[in-house]
């Protein structure tokens, strides 16, 4: 049961650019739908609801960058409020499993550790915006920033995208601070967070994620979740 008191389960995926969060969310969702026997909702931040998706476009285009990390944090918070109210909390109240690509930890990392915003300011925003709706489990997909950025560029080329977004375009040092920030969050909250080696092939990452979910949240499948390929990672 989530800290929000709902009957659902809230799992978030965090990590730097190109860590493979979207791929692994799709894979875990398919697995849980087959194993858990209840609805699985996949969503993302910023975004997930119509209003939040509109804010996403402004943020990733770089529209708010000139106004600094506090302005960006406020926009992320506005998107998160709508996302929580219209999508996440109702799904949790229905007893669904919610898998979210990024959540409040990304604001801590991007606008806080990498952007230089005072952690106390972010903590205040988080208390107001997130309240008791905390993830049951946060999977931090960790990989070297250079590898992640190379993956992001390859994805953009394959998808015919114009180029890097507002955050992908930042210097390597920014992405190194992001990685350190996510690892620090995981170290500070080991009961909620698990670090997964995202440099491995996608199948191996999937197996590692299934193992973490089976250990941390056995209730999702009556105490048993099979590993990828039938064997424990």
């Amino acid at each position: 049961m989530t800290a929000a008191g709902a009957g659902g389960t809230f799992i978030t995926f965090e990590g730097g650019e190109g860590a493979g969060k979207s791929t692994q969310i799709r894979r875990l969702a398919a697995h849980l739908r087959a194993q858990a026997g209840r609805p699985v909702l996949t969503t993302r931040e910023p975004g997930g609801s119509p209003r939040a998706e509109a804010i996403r476009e402004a943020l990733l285009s770089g529209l708010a960058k000139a106004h600094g990390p506090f302005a960006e944090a406020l926009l992320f918070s506005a998107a998160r409020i709508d996302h929580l109210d219209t999508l996440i909390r109702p799904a949790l109240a229905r007893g669904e499993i919610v898998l979210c690509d990024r959540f409040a930890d990304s604001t801590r990392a991007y606008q806080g550790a990498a952007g230089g915003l005072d952690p106390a300011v972010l903590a205040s925003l988080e208390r107001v915006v997130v309240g008791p709706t905390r993830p049951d489990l946060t999977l931090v997909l960790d990989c070297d920033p250079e590898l992640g950025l190379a993956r992001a560029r390859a994805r953009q080329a394959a998808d015919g995208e114009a180029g890097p977004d507002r955050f992908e375009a930042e210097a390597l040092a920014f992405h190194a601070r992001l990685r350190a920030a996510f690892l620090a969050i995981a170290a500070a909250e080991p009961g909620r967070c698990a670090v997964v080696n995202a440099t491995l092939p996608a199948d191996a990452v999937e197996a590692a994620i299934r193992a973490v979910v089976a250990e941390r949240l056995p209730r999702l499948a009556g105490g048993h979740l099979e590993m990828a390929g039938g064997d424990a990672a």
Side-chain angles (χ1 to χ4, degrees), residues 6 23 33 46 77 108-109 116 139-140 148 151 164 195 212-213:
T23 296
R33 287 180 182 121
S77 295
R108 295 184 192 179
L139 297 158
V140 178
R151 287 175 172 176
V195 178
V212 171
V213 173

Side-chain angles (χ1 to χ4, degrees), residues 150-198:
R151 287 175 172 176
R153 288 192 294 269
R155 184 200 68 231
Q156 289 156 8
D159 294 345
E161 296 178 11
D165 65 29
R166 145 79 179 98
F167 298 105
E168 291 167 344
E170 287 285 352
L172 185 61
F174 177 93
H175 294 281
R177 292 196 298 274
L178 278 181
R179 184 187 192 187
F182 283 121
L183 292 176
I185 290 168
E189 299 185 53
R192 172 175 67 87
C193 301
V195 178
V196 177
N197 182 0

Side-chain angles (χ1 to χ4, degrees), residues 21 24 26 100 162 217 220:
K21 298 183 305 303
Q24 294 303 329
R26 288 195 298 270
C100 190
L217 301 170
L220 291 187

Side-chain angles (χ1 to χ4, degrees), residues 11-15 20-26 28-29 98-103 106 137-141 182 209 213:
I11 302 174
T12 56
F13 284 66
E14 298 284 2
K21 298 183 305 303
S22 299
T23 296
Q24 294 303 329
I25 283 178
R26 288 195 298 270
L28 182 60
V98 178
L99 307 182
C100 190
D101 184 344
R102 299 198 182 283
F103 193 59
S106 279
L137 173 65
T138 295
L139 297 158
V140 178
L141 273 58
F182 283 121
I209 288 172
V213 173

Side-chain angles (χ1 to χ4, degrees), residues 24-233:
Q24 294 303 329
I25 283 178
R26 288 195 298 270
R27 291 183 177 213
L28 182 60
H31 179 67
L32 291 176
R33 287 180 182 121
Q35 295 287 319
R38 57 185 169 122
V40 179
L41 172 70
T42 62
T43 188
R44 67 179 184 178
E45 287 208 349
S49 63
R51 292 188 185 91
E53 287 291 336
I55 295 174
R56 177 188 179 90
E57 290 185 18
L59 282 163
L60 298 190
S61 70
L63 188 63
K65 181 179 180 180
H67 301 287
F70 183 58
E72 286 190 324
L74 289 176
L75 284 171
F76 276 107
S77 295
R80 186 164 296 131
I81 287 170
D82 192 71
H83 189 204
L84 281 163
D85 287 348
T86 64
L87 194 72
I88 293 175
R89 287 180 181 134
L92 293 174
R94 293 191 298 267
E96 297 180 12
I97 300 168
V98 178
L99 307 182
C100 190
D101 184 344
R102 299 198 182 283
F103 193 59
D105 291 319
S106 279
T107 307
R108 295 184 192 179
Y110 278 76
Q111 282 68 53
L117 192 60
D118 185 348
V121 172
L122 288 174
S124 296
L125 279 174
E126 195 170 313
R127 281 194 299 272
V128 172
V129 173
V130 176
T133 312
R134 306 285 171 167
D136 295 286
L137 173 65
T138 295
L139 297 158
V140 178
L141 273 58
D142 176 58
C143 73
D144 180 87
E146 289 188 88
L147 172 61
L149 291 170
R151 287 175 172 176
R153 288 192 294 269
R155 184 200 68 231
Q156 289 156 8
D159 294 345
E161 296 178 11
D165 65 29
R166 145 79 179 98
F167 298 105
E168 291 167 344
E170 287 285 352
L172 185 61
F174 177 93
H175 294 281
R177 292 196 298 274
L178 278 181
R179 184 187 192 187
F182 283 121
L183 292 176
I185 290 168
E189 299 185 53
R192 172 175 67 87
C193 301
V195 178
V196 177
N197 182 0
T199 64
L200 299 172
D203 287 349
V205 176
E206 179 184 5
I209 288 172
R210 287 192 191 182
V212 171
V213 173
E215 178 185 358
R216 301 285 189 97
L217 301 170
R219 66 182 182 272
L220 291 187
H224 176 68
L225 283 174
E226 294 180 357
M227 302 304 117
D231 298 317

